Amino acid sequence: MTDSPVVLDGMQAPSRPRRRPETEVVLYSLVLAVVAATATLAIPDVWSPTRPAGWWLVVLVAVGFGLSERTIFHLEFDRQAIGFSVSEVPTAIALVFLAPGPAIGARLVGSAIVLVVLRKTPLYKLLFNLALFTLELVLSFIVLRGFLALVGDTDAEVVIAAIVAMVVASLLGSVLVSIAISMFEGSMLERITSELRVAWWLFVVNSTLAGMTLALALMAPALTLLAVVPVGAMWYLIQRYGIVNQRLRDLDAVHGFTGRVGQSLDPAEIMDAAVVETASLLRADSASLIVFDVNGSPMTRSIGSVGVRLPIAPDDPSWADLIAGDEARLIDGKGLRKFGLDTRSPSAELLASSVKDGADPIGLLVVAGRSGAAHRFGSDDVVRLQNLAEQLASSLGKGLLHQRMEREARQDPLTGLPNRAAFEQKVAQVAKDRNHAGVRFVMMLDLDRFKEVNDTLGHHAGDELLIEFARRIAQHKGRFDVLARLAGDEFALVGYRASEAEMNTFAEHLLAEAARPVTLDGLELVVTASIGIAVIDDHVDTAIAIRRADIATFNAKTQRLGIETYRDEIDRRTPARLSMLGDLRTAIEHEDLRLHYQPKLDLSTGIVIGAEALVRWTHAVRGAVPAADFVRVAEDTGLIKQLTDTMLSKGIEDLRRFHDRGFHLGLSVNLSTHDLLDTRLPERVQRYLQASNVDPAMLTLEITESALLIDAPRSRATINDLHAIGVRMSIDDFGTGYSSLSYLRQLPVAELKIDQSFIANVLIDEQDEVIVRSTIELGHNLGLEVVAEGVENNEILEQLRRFGCDVAQGFCISRPLAANHFMSWLQATGHPSRNQDPLDANVWVTEQKPPVR
């Protein structure tokens, strides 16, 4: 029979709007008592037993009911508890050998003593159970005597009638208990169905066992003793089966805990699921989970209230030992006082376990208010909580790691500002916003001379400068503006302003703010900024808006404008240039590029000693494409490596042919800034030289001053490696850059080329004359050969010879010529070439393939 006191221990008591559930149970109990009293009147011969026995049997039956209550055990299903006992045995004896009145009295007295004295059952539960016991017994008498009236009263019929009566009464009792529980927890129909599905078999087994005992008693009272062994054995087997079954179900529930709480990588969702699942699995009224690894502050999720002050940090004095511990603990009595829990409550206790990811605590799981069949937590609950905490640690650790990775993926670690990914999302939101009547814009902010701060004061000072710059700008941004750090010293801001004038005023204010002095390592520095602005219109997406702002920033920086707003005319990355990129890639792959050679004349001897290789591209539609245009496209898009390799391989092959035909000339090839960052360039140059069997000393590689400023250590390493294989190095366009003269001492440079902008006016501009003369003297003092480029007439040529310039090249000597024309020019010119052999030259010219047009 289902024993209601245990079931009612599973009740929860949340507040209800109309009245407390305890009050409803009392009223419900009174209704059951009235029904039981009324039904008693329907029992025929209420004071007459079916089989008369002595008065002493009343005492024995009362004792039997008391023992059945005392030895009851329980199985818990979620928060619902079902009690199992052998109360059907004394019930069967009472139904047959006692009259209804004495039987009811024995039932109430025997059970009440145990419930009041030993279990200290609350009054509302006591009233319900006594009313339920009475109603069950009255119903059993009605069914028994009604059955006997129909079929007769032989011993066999009496046994069958008793079994049927007890099964019917047990089923009714189960329904009535479920109704009572639903007053606390709701879902009445679900609870009735659940309990009948779980316990119906026990009603049949217990009633049959009681019927067997009754059959022995009907044959001879003394034979009842024979039923003690099978009844005790059956009760023991059912008890052990129930305990094992419940442990298996609990274990299965614990194992499923990870799957239920690990369905998300969001720590908040994991915590929400964890507290609900923990309270359910431990049959607790409340649970709280505190996690410490969320932005440096605790994050708490709770169901119900555990009634204590929870920790705010892992080193909280009240909780530190428990958080650092490796095992769950049950805290009660004196241990609860430091947490502020009311220890006068008989159920005042806590279960708590540290949640650890490896050896480090990341949280604390606290459970309070044991419900279900027991008032208090037991050792099994402690072990179960430990298992839950260990499984939770795995899911929570993954969630926190994912959260940190997402935060790091969306946040700049140095300044704490959003990073590029987060900024692009915000720009996308602003671009989709059609409700703002003003101007939407993207603004790029790039620090000037930031590299100098890093190189001079160190990266720590550079980091301090970035943090200070971010702080200053953040103080002046608008309410809806979003400031981000994209990379290095590049910041970006997206926002709204009422008009373009207000937007420009804001940019000027930021520029002035950035220019305020900042103190780093005791030095007061002024580091200015360049700002590029792109207005977002309805036809501009995120990528285009950011690209336009970046282009404007680059123009502001290179032109030293301070602030630049995007305009189409400053955009080097136009669709036309994109089309040129595709054509250039095809031209390189199909070997459509051609090299022209401009001779270099030794001014002291009048001998042609070499030539500079210049690339030329004639497109079928575009015609002759200026080298400055497509070289810049190659540099911007990464094609410069292939372009340089084409020039080196073709130039060195032609140089080999020059030598084979008796012209022992040198060859100069220009390198891009990007080439110097390629650590494998020396290896490829050496391979080309070896393939054509050309002396490395005959190859000169020209680099610009500005190239030396880009990643100087890496560039110098490439230059040193090129020098190591025997290649000569030349500084091209000398005088137009901003490099230190110390580079001329530190780098293995053999040649200086004076930029043509100084050569062109050397006869008419005194300053240019001074610069040219000084550069020649500087080069000679450093042991360098000095080359003048862009020599347009003989007057300039003679002036350079008087200044002592070593080598000249320009239109007055010859325009750049294709290889075969260059060979013809060498034969026909009045300037002899080094080791000239005209016959070999003619042979080479006849073998040379016609140019591809």
Side-chain angles (χ1 to χ4, degrees):
M1 181 178 292
T2 303
D3 198 294
S4 43
V6 181
V7 179
L8 289 179
D9 283 346
M11 295 181 179
Q12 292 184 354
S15 61
R16 293 177 64 133
R18 292 172 298 173
R19 62 171 71 91
R20 295 181 61 195
E22 290 86 349
T23 304
E24 292 185 353
V25 171
V26 171
L27 296 176
Y28 181 48
S29 301
L30 294 176
V31 172
L32 295 182
V34 171
V35 172
T38 304
T40 303
L41 300 178
I43 302 175
D45 298 326
V46 68
W47 297 105
S48 301
T50 302
R51 296 284 194 276
W55 62 267
W56 50 268
L57 188 59
V58 176
V59 177
L60 290 179
V61 169
V63 172
F65 280 122
L67 289 175
S68 67
E69 294 299 327
R70 185 68 181 89
T71 58
I72 194 170
F73 70 94
H74 324 95
L75 290 183
E76 295 178 299
F77 297 85
D78 296 327
R79 293 179 178 274
Q80 182 176 349
I82 299 177
F84 299 98
S85 73
V86 292
S87 60
E88 285 85 354
V89 174
T91 297
I93 300 298
L95 286 175
V96 176
F97 295 103
L98 295 180
I104 293 172
R107 177 60 159 140
L108 295 180
V109 171
S111 300
I113 291 173
V114 174
L115 295 176
V116 174
V117 177
L118 298 180
R119 294 195 178 166
K120 297 181 173 56
T121 304
L123 179 60
Y124 73 96
K125 292 185 180 182
L126 177 64
L127 293 176
F128 173 79
N129 284 294
L130 294 180
L132 179 64
F133 295 159
T134 303
L135 184 58
E136 286 180 334
L137 199 53
V138 169
L139 178 61
S140 297
F141 271 107
I142 293 174
V143 173
L144 172 74
R145 297 197 172 183
F147 189 89
L148 293 179
L150 292 175
V151 301
D153 60 353
T154 64
D155 288 350
E157 292 163 345
V158 168
V159 171
I160 294 173
I163 292 173
V164 172
M166 288 184 291
V167 170
V168 172
S170 296
L171 291 173
L172 175 64
S174 181
V175 171
L176 296 177
V177 168
S178 298
I179 294 173
I181 293 177
S182 68
M183 295 178 184
F184 289 82
E185 300 183 2
S187 305
M188 179 177 66
L189 182 59
E190 180 182 346
R191 293 191 172 280
I192 292 173
T193 304
S194 174
E195 182 161 339
L196 291 178
R197 183 176 63 252
V198 172
W200 68 268
W201 62 272
L202 189 66
F203 302 152
V204 176
V205 172
N206 279 7
S207 298
T208 302
L209 190 62
M212 180 190 71
T213 304
L214 176 61
L216 293 174
L218 288 172
M219 288 187 287
L223 294 177
T224 306
L225 297 176
L226 297 177
V228 172
V229 174
V231 170
M234 182 61 70
W235 179 87
Y236 177 78
L237 290 175
I238 293 176
Q239 181 192 46
R240 299 315 301 172
Y241 166 77
I243 293 174
V244 171
N245 182 266
Q246 180 168 323
R247 287 180 177 175
L248 289 175
R249 284 187 290 100
D250 289 342
L251 183 61
D252 182 65
V254 170
H255 286 170
F257 176 80
T258 301
R260 292 189 291 273
V261 302
Q263 295 179 357
S264 171
L265 285 175
D266 182 355
E269 293 181 3
I270 293 173
M271 294 175 68
D272 288 337
V275 293
V276 172
E277 290 292 331
T278 299
S280 175
L281 291 174
L282 293 177
R283 303 174 182 91
D285 294 331
S286 55
S288 292
L289 174 60
I290 308 95
V291 174
F292 307 111
D293 190 26
V294 180
N295 296 324
S297 59
M299 180 177 180
T300 303
R301 288 292 189 275
S302 299
I303 178 172
S305 174
V306 296
V308 296
R309 179 189 61 80
L310 296 170
I312 59 174
D315 58 353
D316 187 294
S318 300
W319 296 92
D321 292 343
L322 199 152
I323 294 173
D326 295 326
E327 297 181 354
R329 286 173 52 189
L330 175 61
I331 308 170
D332 58 3
K334 184 171 61 175
L336 291 173
R337 294 175 187 170
K338 64 179 180 180
F339 301 115
L341 192 68
D342 183 8
T343 57
R344 294 173 296 175
S345 171
S347 59
E349 58 182 2
L350 287 177
L351 272 181
S353 177
S354 178
V355 180
K356 291 189 171 183
D357 186 10
D360 301 322
I362 58 175
L364 179 70
L365 186 58
V366 181
V367 181
R370 179 66 158 88
S371 58
H375 292 290
R376 294 184 177 278
F377 295 110
S379 57
D380 286 346
D381 294 318
V382 176
V383 174
R384 194 173 297 121
L385 180 64
Q386 179 68 35
N387 290 335
L388 295 179
E390 291 173 355
Q391 295 190 56
L392 173 61
S394 175
S395 297
L396 195 56
K398 291 178 183 177
L400 292 174
L401 176 61
H402 180 263
Q403 183 185 65
R404 286 195 295 272
M405 291 175 64
E406 277 204 332
R407 188 166 62 239
E408 291 169 1
R410 300 176 60 80
Q411 187 181 72
D412 173 50
L414 178 65
T415 62
L417 296 175
N419 63 6
R420 179 179 290 275
F423 182 74
E424 288 177 351
Q425 285 192 354
K426 182 60 181 178
V427 174
Q429 294 175 7
V430 174
K432 294 177 182 178
D433 184 2
R434 302 292 191 268
N435 299 321
H436 197 277
V439 177
R440 298 166 291 164
F441 64 90
V442 173
M443 186 179 292
M444 293 285 190
L445 305 95
D446 195 271
L447 293 177
D448 301 328
R449 299 169 55 208
F450 175 71
K451 188 176 184 301
E452 293 181 27
V453 174
N454 265 346
D455 291 345
T456 305
L457 301 180
H459 288 282
H460 71 283
D463 289 347
E464 291 180 15
L465 175 60
L466 294 175
I467 294 172
E468 172 62 18
F469 180 76
R471 185 191 64 79
R472 290 183 181 183
I473 303 303
Q475 286 180 338
H476 296 279
K477 67 184 183 68
R479 177 183 175 187
F480 298 106
D481 297 343
V482 173
L483 175 66
R485 181 189 175 208
L486 304 188
D489 61 339
E490 186 179 17
F491 293 79
L493 186 143
V494 59
Y496 305 85
R497 289 298 182 273
S499 63
E500 289 195 18
E502 186 176 329
M503 175 188 72
N504 293 330
T505 300
F506 174 60
E508 292 170 358
H509 182 69
L510 294 183
L511 195 66
E513 186 67 22
R516 287 196 300 111
V518 58
T519 302
L520 299 174
D521 285 355
L523 299 176
E524 186 175 82
L525 305 177
V526 175
V527 182
T528 58
S530 298
I531 298 178
I533 308 172
V535 175
I536 302 175
D537 57 41
D538 293 343
H539 305 292
V540 174
D541 61 17
T542 302
I544 293 177
I546 294 176
R547 185 181 68 83
R548 287 181 173 180
D550 191 37
I551 292 170
T553 305
F554 179 80
N555 201 59
K557 197 176 188 74
T558 55
Q559 301 299 322
R560 293 178 172 80
L561 301 175
I563 300 173
E564 175 72 282
T565 301
Y566 174 83
R567 295 167 284 118
D568 289 339
E569 52 264 34
I570 67 173
D571 191 353
R572 294 168 52 187
R573 301 175 180 89
T574 61
R577 292 176 63 85
L578 184 62
S579 175
M580 181 183 289
L581 169 63
D583 292 344
L584 177 61
R585 188 186 304 276
T586 301
I588 293 174
E589 292 175 351
H590 293 176
E591 298 184 354
D592 290 339
L593 300 180
R594 293 288 178 262
L595 292 188
H596 285 201
Y597 299 92
Q598 186 172 43
K600 298 172 69 173
L601 184 69
D602 186 307
L603 294 182
S604 63
T605 64
I607 296 176
V608 176
I609 60 172
E612 179 179 358
L614 302 170
V615 64
R616 295 292 183 262
W617 179 26
T618 301
H619 188 268
V621 176
R622 303 175 190 272
V625 182
D629 290 350
F630 68 80
V631 169
R632 178 173 293 182
V633 169
E635 288 179 332
D636 291 343
T637 59
L639 274 181
I640 190 63
K641 175 183 175 181
Q642 292 92 317
L643 181 59
T644 299
D645 281 359
T646 296
M647 294 184 64
L648 286 170
S649 61
K650 285 180 174 290
I652 293 173
E653 287 177 2
D654 285 347
L655 184 61
R656 174 70 268 164
R657 291 171 180 170
F658 295 163
H659 291 176
D660 290 344
R661 301 312 182 261
F663 298 100
H664 195 66
L665 306 177
L667 179 69
S668 297
V669 177
N670 286 282
L671 294 183
S672 165
T673 300
H674 302 275
D675 292 324
L676 293 182
L677 302 180
D678 184 357
T679 58
R680 301 188 63 181
L681 176 64
E683 175 187 337
R684 296 200 304 279
V685 170
Q686 187 174 30
R687 187 167 63 249
Y688 296 143
L689 290 169
Q690 291 174 348
S692 297
N693 193 25
V694 171
D695 182 358
M698 304 306 295
L699 177 64
T700 300
L701 298 179
E702 300 182 3
I703 55 178
T704 62
E705 285 185 89
S706 58
L708 302 176
L709 298 177
I710 306 298
D711 198 348
R714 192 171 171 185
S715 299
R716 285 199 294 267
T718 302
I719 293 172
N720 289 331
D721 290 343
L722 290 169
H723 175 71
I725 65 175
V727 173
R728 298 174 77 248
M729 303 301 299
S730 172
I731 301 295
D732 194 14
D733 300 334
F734 186 80
T736 60
Y738 306 96
S739 63
S740 168
L741 292 178
S742 64
Y743 284 131
L744 299 180
R745 293 189 301 105
Q746 297 172 0
L747 295 176
V749 177
E751 177 183 286
L752 284 184
K753 293 190 72 173
I754 305 175
D755 186 71
Q756 61 183 350
S757 62
F758 301 112
I759 300 299
N761 298 318
V762 69
L763 298 177
I764 59 177
D765 190 315
E766 292 184 1
Q767 291 185 344
D768 284 353
E769 178 184 343
V770 171
I771 290 174
V772 171
R773 191 197 303 270
S774 299
T775 302
I776 294 172
E777 292 177 358
L778 172 66
H780 289 165
N781 290 335
L782 293 174
L784 305 178
E785 187 177 68
V786 180
V787 178
E789 61 181 344
V791 180
E792 303 295 326
N793 54 59
N794 288 328
E795 289 80 4
I796 295 177
L797 190 68
E798 291 303 320
Q799 183 72 298
L800 292 171
R801 183 179 285 114
R802 285 192 293 270
F803 288 165
C805 184
D806 300 305
V807 179
Q809 69 180 86
F811 282 5
C812 82
I813 301 170
S814 173
R815 292 177 178 274
L817 302 171
N820 56 342
H821 295 158
F822 179 61
M823 294 298 299
S824 299
W825 179 87
L826 285 174
Q827 284 188 294
T829 183
H831 302 293
S833 61
R834 193 155 49 191
N835 297 334
Q836 181 174 348
D837 187 341
L839 295 178
D840 287 343
N842 287 330
V843 173
W844 187 89
V845 170
T846 59
E847 292 178 352
Q848 178 70 14
K849 297 179 180 179
V852 177
R853 301 186 181 277

